[in-house]
Amino acid sequence: MRLRHAQVAIIALLISALVMTIGLSLSKKTTIETTIDTNEEALRDAFNAAESGIDYYLKTGESEYIVPSMPAKANITSQNIGGGNQLDFGEYIVAGSSETYWLVNHNLDGSLGSSYYSGTSITVDVGSFSGALEVNYFYLSGGVYNVKRYGYNFSTDSTRMVNGFEVKTGTSVVVNIPERQPIMLAIRPIFMGGHFKISGSANFPSQGKEISSTGKVGEINSGEINKKVMVQERYRIPSFLLDALGAQGSILAQ
């Protein structure tokens, strides 16, 4: 009888230990999941603070944004895009759309200035692009806007070639800039998209601003969580407006 009682006690002890182990495991799992959920929520709050900080900066010009009713804020900085002899916006340009590079500065009100790109040529780097490329170079001469049009086939596949375009080999093409009042260079890939960048024999004017906003949630000593958002506010011309600009009678095509 005593042996049976001892066996029952041992079995009960083992069951209690097993239940306790399972309980501790569930408790640990719950704690980890709660931490993950909390971090994800904090990251979302930091991202929202960063986005709101950019909107706040564009409206007010202030470099710090305090989120109402929560311990979050955003620090905003901005810098000019361009100013050097290379321009790479880091964007993939889809077939049929255009990328524009300004060759003249802009005034504070957004109007065109009078400081022009002083180089005599621009190299367009196409990388592994193997379609057709249209290049439109706009410039001012005698008070009249003009455009020179160039076309290049970077492929020998007839399905990716445009009649009348020059066949090119390699990964770049050089566009001569002889005029002293250059306005803009616009490139448009055909048949396929690509990543393009340009380099010049002189520095390019500012293309706009790159705005960086870092959202912060929590206190530094207790584990601050940061999230950065960057946007480019460039001087842009929409593709449809660019097409209309090239078709206007006041612009002479050469």
Side-chain angles (χ1 to χ4, degrees), residues 21-134:
T21 301
I22 294 175
L24 290 174
S25 298
L26 290 175
S27 176
K28 183 178 181 180
K29 182 179 179 181
T30 302
T31 302
I32 293 174
E33 288 179 347
T34 300
T35 302
I36 293 174
D37 289 341
T38 301
N39 288 339
E40 288 179 349
E41 183 178 355
L43 283 172
R44 284 195 298 270
D45 290 341
F47 177 80
N48 291 335
E51 279 199 322
S52 298
I54 289 177
D55 293 336
Y56 182 75
Y57 172 81
L58 292 175
K59 292 177 181 177
T60 67
E62 298 292 333
S63 60
E64 184 177 70
Y65 170 69
I66 305 298
V67 180
S69 305
M70 66 179 301
K73 65 178 182 179
N75 295 120
I76 307 100
T77 59
S78 67
Q79 62 181 6
N80 286 331
I81 303 171
N85 66 346
Q86 294 184 354
L87 286 176
D88 181 3
F89 298 133
E91 297 179 352
Y92 182 87
I93 309 304
V94 299
S97 63
S98 296
E99 184 66 279
T100 58
Y101 305 90
W102 289 100
L103 305 179
V104 62
N105 73 308
H106 285 71
N107 298 316
L108 293 178
D109 62 359
S111 61
L112 297 183
S114 57
S115 296
Y116 300 95
Y117 170 73
S118 61
T120 57
S121 66
I122 294 176
T123 300
V124 181
D125 187 345
V126 302
S128 60
F129 177 73
S130 59
L133 188 68
E134 178 185 273

Side-chain angles (χ1 to χ4, degrees), residues 136-205:
N136 290 317
Y137 162 53
F138 297 89
Y139 64 97
L140 188 62
S141 178
V144 178
Y145 288 99
N146 299 263
V147 58
K148 286 186 178 180
R149 305 187 190 280
Y150 305 91
Y152 307 97
N153 288 314
F154 285 89
S155 173
T156 56
D157 182 350
S158 60
T159 62
R160 290 184 176 180
M161 298 179 69
V162 176
N163 290 335
F165 279 19
E166 180 183 349
V167 176
K168 297 292 292 185
T169 58
T171 61
S172 65
V173 62
V174 177
V175 179
N176 291 323
I177 310 292
E179 292 77 20
R180 294 301 85 212
Q181 291 182 299
I183 301 298
M184 182 176 62
L185 190 75
I187 60 177
R188 183 169 71 95
I190 305 171
F191 300 121
M192 65 178 296
H195 173 209
F196 308 96
K197 55 186 177 181
I198 66 173
S199 57
S201 52
N203 291 339
F204 295 106

